[in-house]
Amino acid sequence: MTAVTPAGPAPSAPSAPPVVLTAPPALAPLLARGALLSPLRRPRPDAAFPRTPLVLPGLRIDPARLAAYEKVCGFPAGTDALPPTYPHVLGFPLAMRLMSGRDFPLPLLGLVHTSIGITRRRPLPATGTYDLSVRIAGLAPHRRGTEAAVVTEMRTGGDVVWESRSTYLARHRTPGPPAGHHREEERAPHEPLPAVEEWRPAADLGRRYGAVSGDRNPIHLHPLTARLFGFPRAIAHGMWTVARCLAAHGTPDAAVVRADFRAPVLLPGTVTYAARDGRFALRGADGRVHLTGDVRPA
């Protein structure tokens, strides 16, 4: 799914005081609650949304889980610094608590991760202690529905050392493209990036990444469960595609990363990683573009 730059979020009121957690929320009950509430949602860009940030202080990294994540995503093992995408995994349970709540207006089932922007201000030691916070930044109209922005921040010593902004799309009928939106095909196309490597993600990749990330959405786990949501086979997690590209590309110690998810990667499958001058892409065997992104020094 191609992300479109929104015309601007709905006007936001000041955030409520944060809720401080003592442990990461358990994901299975949150996913179940979100699934049960999804049919009751009536998404629209001017809907009310939860404004209370969630904060998890004093977070320590589990070395075994980190090592398993590095292996699945292709990052080198044994380095002291966290991979640039790993804080997203740490913040995912907090984001799911917010998006599965009764006051979140978009249905969790069918929600599509359309983009992520990451800023890493310095290397993050795997042995460090961090304060993690997640909040809903706002809703915005999208030509295919309503998009929610979720902001995740990691702090150490009071300083923000890593932050991300993800957009999630709930697809529904709209009156037309909002002002300021442009269809992707109307933009000036980039010259295709040169191929660097060919990858063959296996049929069980969704289950393996789900085990290390906690994201066990049924569209990633098995062909039967994926078909319930309109996919012919299980699809790779979008965040795996970003992580795998960054593992191949590399990132500066202080970096800004942007990635747009354009089309799902079916499992098993064959994809081509392409890159040049800080830009990267993932293409299918038929030339379909699954992911585009760029990396630059912060």
Side-chain angles (χ1 to χ4, degrees):
M1 178 61 63
T2 301
V4 180
T5 303
S12 59
S15 296
V19 171
V20 179
L21 307 177
T22 57
L27 277 168
L30 298 178
L31 293 171
R33 181 177 70 180
L36 289 173
L37 293 175
S38 287
L40 306 178
R41 305 302 194 203
R42 297 295 181 266
R44 65 182 196 277
D46 60 346
F49 60 89
R51 301 180 184 275
T52 301
L54 300 180
V55 175
L56 179 62
L59 179 66
R60 301 296 299 269
I61 307 302
D62 180 340
R65 185 183 177 196
L66 173 60
Y69 177 87
E70 291 170 336
K71 182 177 180 180
V72 170
C73 297
F75 290 105
T79 58
D80 180 53
L82 298 179
T85 48
Y86 196 64
H88 175 87
V89 171
L90 300 175
F92 183 70
L94 282 69
M96 284 299 99
R97 175 164 161 172
L98 291 173
M99 291 194 288
S100 66
R102 293 184 179 277
D103 53 352
F104 185 69
L106 308 186
L108 191 61
L109 287 183
L111 209 58
V112 179
H113 196 180
T114 49
S115 74
I116 186 168
I118 295 172
T119 300
R120 182 175 68 181
R121 291 184 168 82
R122 60 176 185 260
L124 309 177
T127 53
T129 301
Y130 302 97
D131 296 334
L132 189 67
S133 68
V134 178
R135 61 185 171 87
I136 307 297
L139 304 179
H142 185 282
R143 65 184 176 88
R144 293 185 176 176
T146 297
E147 210 167 46
V150 179
V151 172
T152 302
E153 295 178 339
M154 274 184 46
R155 289 178 169 83
T156 182
D159 297 329
V160 176
V161 292
W162 184 99
E163 61 186 310
S164 73
R165 183 183 181 95
S166 283
T167 55
Y168 296 90
L169 173 66
R171 289 175 285 191
H172 59 84
R173 288 188 176 183
T174 63
H181 282 221
H182 300 280
R183 292 182 180 272
E184 187 68 23
E185 58 266 25
E186 292 174 353
R187 298 177 182 177
H190 284 295
E191 180 183 351
L193 298 173
V196 178
E197 297 177 5
E198 184 178 272
W199 301 332
R200 297 179 180 271
D204 68 343
L205 174 63
R207 295 189 290 275
R208 290 189 290 117
Y209 183 83
V212 300
S213 69
D215 185 354
R216 291 183 171 88
N217 187 316
I219 62 176
H220 303 302
L221 303 182
H222 193 276
L224 291 178
T225 54
R227 287 184 196 123
L228 295 176
F229 297 90
F231 297 101
R233 304 196 299 275
I235 65 173
H237 293 73
M239 284 306 299
W240 177 85
T241 65
V242 176
R244 185 67 187 88
C245 287
L246 292 179
H249 187 281
T251 52
D253 288 346
V256 176
V257 177
R258 168 75 188 192
D260 293 317
F261 305 107
R262 293 171 173 264
V265 175
L266 296 176
L267 301 175
T270 301
V271 292
T272 297
Y273 165 69
R276 183 175 57 200
D277 298 332
R279 294 169 50 219
F280 59 86
L282 205 60
R283 298 193 296 262
D286 58 357
R288 189 181 193 189
V289 178
H290 298 289
L291 172 79
T292 59
D294 59 81
V295 181
R296 58 184 174 86

